[in-house]
């Protein structure tokens, strides 16, 4: 008797994409008022998205002053072009895209996007989730700031914002293999930093 064999996919299961902190449902009525330039509506949008934009900019740029600049530039660009937003996709996704582009542009101007962990000859993707110690926001912030700018950006966009490697490659004007390699090396380096006594990480 012949027994049918079922092929087993050796690739690891794909983890669900994280929910972005930008994922705020904005009422259509509020957007309509903002398009008309109502100050109260624009102020409401600013209050809702101020923290997500600043946090993303801080994680990518690693500097509070640069993050504040990115926040200001993002909001000016979004509010200046809000009349062109037609609602074909969520407003928060459009705003997040502007914020990411502004943060990466800041890194390009400072020539920091070439700052990355070197790629080995035999890289592999690190499918493990961020280490449990990442729940400590202060420790995570210190450890993230120890990483090169490009590596830090890949880690945050992938793990926190749910971008795919193809999307990250497009944003950073690199290749998907670059994103995968930086994710693997960055994840291992981040875990090592978070497992290090905090006095050493602060140094």
């Amino acid at each position: 008797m012949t027994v049918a064999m079922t092929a087993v996919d050796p690739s690891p299961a794909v983890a669900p994409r994280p929910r972005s902190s930008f994922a705020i449902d904005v009422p259509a009525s509020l957007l309509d008022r903002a398009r008309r330039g109502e100050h109260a509506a624009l102020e409401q949008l600013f209050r809702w998205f101020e923290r997500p934009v600043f946090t993303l900019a801080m994680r990518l740029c690693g500097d509070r002053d640069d993050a504040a600049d990115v926040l200001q530039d993002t909001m000016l660009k979004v509010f200046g072009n809000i009349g062109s937003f037609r609602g074909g996709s969520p407003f928060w996704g459009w705003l997040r895209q502007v914020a990411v582009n502004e943060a990466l542009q800041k890194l390009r101007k400072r020539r920091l996007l070439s700052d990355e962990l070197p790629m080995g000859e035999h890289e592999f993707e690190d499918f493990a989730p961020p280490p449990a110690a990442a729940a400590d926001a202060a420790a995570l912030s210190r450890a993230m700031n120890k990483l090169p700018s490009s590596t830090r950006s890949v880690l945050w966009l992938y793990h926190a914002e749910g971008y795919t490697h193809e999307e990250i490659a497009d944003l950073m004007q690199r290749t998907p293999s670059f994103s995968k390699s930086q994710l693997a090396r960055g994840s291992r380096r981040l875990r090592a930093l978070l497992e290090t006594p905090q006095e050493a990480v602060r140094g």
Side-chain angles (χ1 to χ4, degrees):
M1 181 176 65
T2 302
V3 179
M5 300 294 292
T6 302
V8 177
D9 184 357
S11 61
V14 177
R17 299 177 73 173
R19 180 173 175 83
S20 170
S21 61
F22 284 79
I24 300 170
D25 293 327
V26 179
S29 58
L30 181 62
L31 283 178
D32 288 341
R33 290 167 51 210
R35 289 190 186 97
R36 294 195 297 268
E38 287 190 23
H39 182 270
L42 295 172
E43 185 177 7
Q44 180 68 67
L45 290 175
F46 183 90
R47 287 201 303 268
W48 281 355
F49 289 101
E50 178 182 14
R51 182 178 293 275
V53 173
F54 185 84
T55 299
L56 181 143
M58 185 66 190
R59 293 301 184 215
L60 269 60
C61 297
D63 180 87
R64 294 189 68 85
D65 290 338
D66 284 347
D69 288 344
V70 169
L71 171 62
Q72 175 177 293
D73 293 343
T74 296
M75 292 307 189
L76 286 173
K77 184 166 289 187
V78 166
F79 292 163
N81 294 279
I82 198 168
S84 65
F85 178 72
R86 300 304 178 192
S89 59
F91 175 79
W92 67 264
W94 177 58
L95 188 148
R96 183 181 67 168
Q97 193 75 3
V98 174
V100 171
N101 287 336
E102 289 296 322
L104 293 178
Q105 183 61 24
K106 176 72 72 174
L107 292 175
R108 287 190 187 96
K109 287 181 178 178
R110 294 184 178 276
R111 301 183 183 277
L112 292 175
L113 274 187
S114 58
D115 184 17
E116 62 195 53
L117 288 176
M119 291 183 286
E121 183 179 355
H122 302 292
E123 284 294 346
F124 58 90
E125 187 162 4
D126 190 334
F127 288 95
D136 182 339
L140 175 62
S141 181
R142 288 191 295 269
M144 288 284 285
N145 284 341
K146 294 281 186 179
L147 299 175
S149 298
S150 284
T151 309
R152 184 173 63 236
S153 297
V154 169
L155 276 172
W156 190 258
L157 292 175
Y158 185 89
H159 279 308
E161 293 299 331
Y163 280 90
T164 66
H165 289 301
E166 290 72 20
E167 290 167 338
I168 294 171
D170 185 57
L171 286 166
M172 300 183 72
Q173 300 173 12
R174 303 295 290 266
T175 64
S177 61
F178 163 82
S179 178
K180 292 175 183 179
S181 178
Q182 290 303 301
L183 180 72
R185 284 182 164 262
S187 295
R188 292 194 294 272
R189 179 61 177 152
L190 185 62
R191 275 193 288 274
L193 287 168
L194 288 169
E195 290 165 2
T196 300
Q198 291 307 303
E199 290 75 13
V201 175
R202 291 190 187 99

